[in-house]
Amino acid sequence: MTSVIWIMVAVLGTFTVGYMGYSRYLSRFVELDDERETPAHKYEDGQEYVPSKKPVLLGHHFSSIAGGAPIVGPITAGAIWGWVPAMLWIAIGNPLMGAVHDFISLSSSIRHEGRSIGYIVGQYVGERGKNLLLWFAFLTIILVVAVFALVVGIVFNAFPEVTTASTVYVALALVFGVYLYQLNGPFVPGTILFVAGVFAGVWVGIQYPFALFALAEGSHDAGTFVLFSGSTGSWVPGAAALGGNTAAWIPIVMVYAGIASALPVWVLLQPRDYLSSFLLYTGVGGGVLAIIVGTIFSTSSQPLVIDSSIGVFEGFWGIEAAGLFPLFPLLFITIACGTISGFHSLVSSGTTSKQLNKESDARLIGYGGMLGEGLLGALALSTLAVAGFAGDAAGGGIGGALPNFATGGGIILTSFGIPEAIGSVFMALVLVSFLLTSTDTAVRLGRYMMEEIVGMDDGMTVSGLSGGIGAAARGRYTNPVIQIGIAYVLVISGQWQTLWGLFGGANQLLAALALLTATVWLANWDESKQLVSTGVPMAVMVTITVLGLTWVALYNNLYVNLIQGGAGTLGAQLSSVAQMLLGLALIYIALSLVRIGVGNLRTVRGGDAPAAEPSDD
């Protein structure tokens, strides 16, 4: 039997080499300089531009980028194609592509006043290129909100204990924000007190689990408080596909994300992400250490070896249960954020760049933060390997991802003597913590995108409550309503499989466009700058993701769901049509932007235009 520790050995080996060597080279390559004033200091406003201590910002950044995708994706890919292909793509692709993407996105943003990647590309290829990228990013954000809210609803339904624990830590974050920024409380004692409160919330959740509706089949665990105990919530939109309790949580999570996105960053975003980062570090770091300890000292409840139900390599078409699921290109868009994620470029250039205290912090936060997400993906793959596959791989991932991450994680944590039942709930809470922080950050970033698309005309208000359609589209209070409204329509059909594929493809293609933006920036900055580090990953990701999105749009949605009748209800059919059109629109926007960007590169490197300074505004 193969020990699961070899997954960690492979990933930790390549990640260490990448951080110690390649990230240091990239830091010199983009000329990070602590003497240069960052946008957080230059434009400090107490609202969006707020200089942050490195550990606080790392906590926000890591919490925001590490959503459910690096958990669901590797588990789904490992179950379908085997653990070796999934492990190799994480171990090799992350330090050479994903971490480079995040670091360069952050570095380019701080050289452009903390602006988004859309603004940056617009500086060099024009207004049309800028708007194309911003629209692509905005549509991708809607998919992120839809997918993450769905997964939170599924986790809350399966683990009512996590619902209570999540409520506790959000409440603590609100108090912590007041403590730090209004009462100027001491940082270290406050951290100790409130972090202890977050972990105490896990115990509270186990003691007092909470659900909205009773289950249609079976029942919640004994002791679970059910708010509407006499109903299964069958009347809730989407209940037929998802179950009443799950379907009811989804709009609640979306409304929470909309409200949180409109608040100043110090009220909830910064303190919550910082506090939850300790939960996340403990989950990821503790899981990795538990694998090492359990393997060396045999202290786990069962041997930490790869279960016989998980193949080394299941073949190009994967397991039979998955149907027609070719490894190329679907492996890459299925694993998604565990290796490279376009959503990270929005976080890096949307919120993180506005809070960076000094430029040298970008190496740990940008490059190192992405390695942390890759480590999460490797841990998720390890939980699958230990627990064996539970669920239907063809059902779209979460059916297997949730029980495997929680159950497998619980088994791994027994290496420290933690009871498996407690460890499982804790790992489920880790998953939700990632998801909640990413969801409201995504809505905030979507507002930033629309602000740059629409601009600010006379008569517009920041709130969006007056000034016409443009003001409403970009408004702090109105824009989130637009985002969550569209996301809700996409998710209530219950078409998880196609929605996940569309999200993964769009997210990966956005990463390709962010790398294109970085390549254009570097080419215009200095003609001596090499373009291989960003150009090669960009070309690879464009190829993979355009083919992947074409498969999702035309095969999964058009052929399987619409022509063959795979979408059985009117809601599912409407969702399939929307997903197909959205996928084709994303492909068109991306290829148009690639053509414009490559044209700029040819012009600049052909000597037909002068190079621009990196800080040109």
Side-chain angles (χ1 to χ4, degrees):
M1 299 292 287
T2 304
S3 174
V4 75
I5 198 173
W6 292 113
I7 296 176
M8 287 300 170
V9 168
V11 170
L12 288 173
T14 59
F15 283 15
T16 300
V17 172
Y19 188 76
M20 298 302 293
Y22 200 26
S23 73
R24 182 173 285 111
Y25 161 75
L26 291 173
S27 296
R28 294 195 298 267
F29 176 64
V30 300
E31 302 173 15
L32 295 182
D33 183 3
D34 286 346
E35 297 301 316
R36 187 183 288 114
E37 188 178 31
T38 64
H41 288 284
K42 187 175 182 179
Y43 300 107
E44 184 173 0
D45 61 2
Q47 179 75 27
E48 312 290 354
Y49 292 86
V50 180
S52 302
K53 295 179 174 66
K54 187 191 294 187
V56 175
L57 186 55
L58 178 62
H60 155 69
H61 183 80
F62 185 56
S63 298
S64 297
I65 65 172
I71 295 173
V72 177
I75 288 178
T76 306
I80 295 176
W81 295 288
W83 64 270
V84 168
M87 178 194 70
L88 290 176
W89 180 231
I90 295 171
I92 298 172
N94 191 298
L96 291 180
M97 301 176 70
V100 173
H101 164 276
D102 288 23
F103 172 78
I104 293 293
S105 296
L106 177 56
S107 299
S108 62
S109 181
I110 61 176
R111 296 295 174 78
H112 291 81
E113 315 298 342
R115 300 293 187 91
S116 72
I117 57 170
Y119 175 88
I120 297 168
V121 78
Q123 290 294 98
Y124 305 108
V125 304
E127 191 71 15
R128 181 169 182 267
K130 168 190 170 183
N131 287 333
L132 282 172
L133 185 52
L134 289 173
W135 272 112
F136 189 101
F138 182 74
L139 294 175
T140 303
I141 284 291
I142 291 174
L143 288 171
V144 171
V145 174
V147 168
F148 286 5
L150 171 61
V151 179
V152 172
I154 292 172
V155 176
F156 278 178
N157 178 67
F159 290 90
E161 302 92 340
V162 178
T163 307
T164 305
S166 298
T167 303
V168 169
Y169 100 80
V170 169
L172 285 171
L174 290 168
V175 178
F176 189 47
V178 174
Y179 169 85
L180 279 183
Y181 294 101
Q182 300 299 305
L183 303 179
N184 296 315
F187 182 71
V188 174
T191 295
I192 295 172
L193 177 63
F194 282 90
V195 168
V198 170
F199 282 94
V202 177
W203 179 85
V204 173
I206 293 173
Q207 298 300 314
Y208 306 101
F210 172 71
L212 292 177
F213 292 102
L215 299 179
E217 297 181 5
S219 60
H220 294 291
D221 292 340
T224 301
F225 173 74
V226 181
L227 183 61
F228 302 103
S229 57
S231 172
T232 61
S234 58
W235 54 270
V236 178
L242 300 168
N245 195 51
T246 300
W249 278 120
I250 292 170
I252 293 174
V253 172
M254 289 183 174
V255 170
Y256 157 80
I259 294 172
S261 71
L263 296 172
V265 294
W266 68 265
V267 174
L268 180 59
L269 184 143
Q270 276 192 355
R272 185 214 51 215
D273 288 1
Y274 176 64
L275 291 177
S276 66
S277 68
F278 287 90
L279 189 65
L280 309 183
Y281 297 150
T282 302
V284 178
V288 172
L289 187 59
I291 290 175
I292 298 172
V293 171
T295 301
I296 295 176
F297 299 102
S298 300
T299 55
S300 59
S301 62
Q302 65 183 58
L304 299 182
V305 296
I306 298 176
D307 190 85
S308 59
S309 66
I310 309 301
V312 175
F313 174 56
E314 296 286 0
F316 183 79
W317 297 105
I319 59 176
E320 184 178 351
L324 196 60
F325 234 55
L327 182 148
F328 181 87
L330 298 186
L331 167 74
F332 308 96
I333 67 173
T334 299
I335 289 181
C337 306
T339 295
I340 182 171
S341 168
F343 176 66
H344 298 186
S345 68
L346 306 183
V347 176
S348 296
S349 66
T351 57
T352 304
S353 63
K354 295 177 175 64
Q355 301 173 55
L356 198 73
N357 186 45
K358 55 184 181 179
E359 287 196 355
S360 62
D361 291 350
R363 181 185 172 209
L364 174 64
I365 293 169
Y367 196 97
M370 182 57 200
L371 295 182
E373 174 142 346
L375 198 59
L376 173 62
L379 176 62
L381 186 61
S382 299
T383 64
L384 167 72
V386 169
F389 189 73
D392 181 9
I398 191 61
L402 176 59
N404 272 284
F405 188 69
T407 303
I411 293 171
I412 289 172
L413 290 179
T414 61
S415 299
F416 294 139
I418 299 173
E420 186 176 331
I422 295 177
S424 296
V425 172
F426 173 75
M427 294 304 285
L429 177 60
V430 169
L431 172 56
V432 167
S433 299
F434 282 126
L435 290 163
L436 286 177
T437 54
S438 296
T439 304
D440 68 74
T441 297
V443 178
R444 183 182 293 268
L445 293 173
R447 172 163 57 87
Y448 291 164
M449 300 298 107
M450 191 55 64
E451 284 177 354
E452 294 193 36
I453 292 172
V454 175
M456 174 66 88
D457 296 332
D458 292 339
M460 284 189 183
T461 60
V462 173
S463 68
L465 299 177
S466 63
I469 296 176
R474 72 183 301 282
R476 178 175 297 151
Y477 306 126
T478 51
N479 174 271
V481 175
I482 296 172
Q483 291 188 59
I484 64 179
I486 299 173
Y488 186 60
V489 170
L490 285 174
V491 82
I492 59 172
S493 68
Q495 293 291 299
W496 164 262
Q497 182 181 10
T498 52
L499 186 59
W500 179 264
L502 182 60
F503 156 73
N507 189 39
Q508 302 294 89
L509 190 49
L510 179 59
L513 298 181
L515 288 166
L516 172 66
T517 300
T519 306
V520 168
W521 166 54
L522 294 171
N524 282 268
W525 174 4
D526 188 338
E527 64 180 13
S528 67
K529 293 289 184 185
Q530 57 89 0
L531 305 181
V532 175
S533 294
T534 55
V536 171
M538 183 258 307
V540 171
M541 295 311 300
V542 167
T543 302
I544 288 172
T545 52
V546 167
L547 291 175
L549 275 177
T550 301
W551 182 278
V552 170
L554 300 183
Y555 178 78
N556 283 347
N557 282 291
L558 178 61
Y559 180 68
V560 175
N561 285 347
L562 297 176
I563 295 178
Q564 288 197 324
T569 65
L570 178 61
Q573 291 167 0
L574 292 175
S575 179
S576 292
V577 170
Q579 291 181 47
M580 180 185 67
L581 295 177
L582 185 56
L584 294 175
L586 292 171
I587 292 171
Y588 171 77
I589 294 172
L591 291 181
S592 298
L593 190 56
V594 168
R595 181 181 60 82
I596 295 172
V598 171
N600 174 268
L601 293 175
R602 287 175 175 171
T603 299
V604 172
R605 286 300 166 97
D608 298 329
E613 291 298 322
S615 59
D616 279 359
D617 191 14

